[in-house]
């Protein structure tokens, strides 16, 4: 969208202008300005850096790339390398570190040391962790106890509803675009008719 606005001759995309206008001297405001400056001055490596670290400002980087007419191949290449190689490894090692056996045991012991409710919460929490571990480490063909919970079913329903809404909105968008392109002759849409007919 930012690219289309720039190609149409607009000085600045409204989304980008709004994002930069909201940029005050807070940490988030300074980060927005930094991302804008980084993409404008550094290009590929700036996009790569924004895609590599887990941050919520990557959308702003994409808008900025559209505004500065960064070629799609440059944007996609930097994003693919940053997210698929660097960010994925950062997240993988973080999860492995945080959920290592000794760190989880430390957390369970901390819950047990809480005043008043610690001992009461420690055992159910330990059982829940053991149940999750059993689900992840079962052998092929073994049945694992415990069906889907209400939260899992509600989440599944939400995902299906969002996919249906997305599909319907795409079909609706195509239909509206087709209706705009189809000329109306004598109150009827004429598809593929020429003046000779």
């Amino acid at each position: 969208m930012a690219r289309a606005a720039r190609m149409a001759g607009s000085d600045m995309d409204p989304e980008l202008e709004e994002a930069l206008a909201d940029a005050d001297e807070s940490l988030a405001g300074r980060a927005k300005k930094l991302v804008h400056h980084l993409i404008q001055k550094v290009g590929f490596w700036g996009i790569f850096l924004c895609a590599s670290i887990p941050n919520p400002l990557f959308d702003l980087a994409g808008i900025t790339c559209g505004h500065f007419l960064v070629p799609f191949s440059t944007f996609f290449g930097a994003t693919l390398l940053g997210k698929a190689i660097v960010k994925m490894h950062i997240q993988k090692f973080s999860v492995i570190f945080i959920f290592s056996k000794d760190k989880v045991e430390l957390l369970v012991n901390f819950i047990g040391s809480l005043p008043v409710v610690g001992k009461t919460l420690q055992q159910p929490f330990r059982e829940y962790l053991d149940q999750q571990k059993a689900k992840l480490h079962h052998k092929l063909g073994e049945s694992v106890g415990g069906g889907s919970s209400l939260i899992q079913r509600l989440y599944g329903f939400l995902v299906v509803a969002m996919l249906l809404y997305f599909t319907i909105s795409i079909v609706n968008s195509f239909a509206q675009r087709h209706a705009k392109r189809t000329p109306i002759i004598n109150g009827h849409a004429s598809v593929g008719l020429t003046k000779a007919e």
Side-chain angles (χ1 to χ4, degrees), residues 185 190 192-197:
I185 300 175
S190 62
L193 294 177
T194 62
K195 289 187 177 185
E197 295 176 356

Side-chain angles (χ1 to χ4, degrees), residues 63-138:
I63 293 170
T64 305
C65 287
H67 175 74
F68 290 117
L69 303 176
V70 173
F72 178 75
S73 58
T74 302
F75 175 75
F76 185 74
T79 302
L80 180 69
L81 291 174
K83 289 198 178 289
I85 295 175
V86 178
K87 183 178 178 184
M88 182 267 306
H89 282 92
I90 291 171
Q91 290 176 331
K92 178 176 65 172
F93 289 126
S94 299
V95 168
I96 289 170
F97 176 76
I98 291 169
F99 292 106
S100 62
K101 190 173 184 174
D102 59 329
K103 301 291 185 284
V104 171
E105 193 60 37
L106 189 68
L107 176 66
V108 171
N109 291 337
F110 173 74
I111 289 173
S113 69
L114 291 174
V116 181
V117 295
K119 294 293 181 194
T120 310
L121 292 177
Q122 186 179 26
Q123 189 58 33
F125 188 71
R126 188 181 302 273
E127 289 172 3
Y128 173 75
L129 289 174
D130 291 339
Q131 182 185 20
Q132 294 303 313
K133 188 176 181 181
K135 282 183 181 180
L136 292 173
H137 293 271
H138 74 281

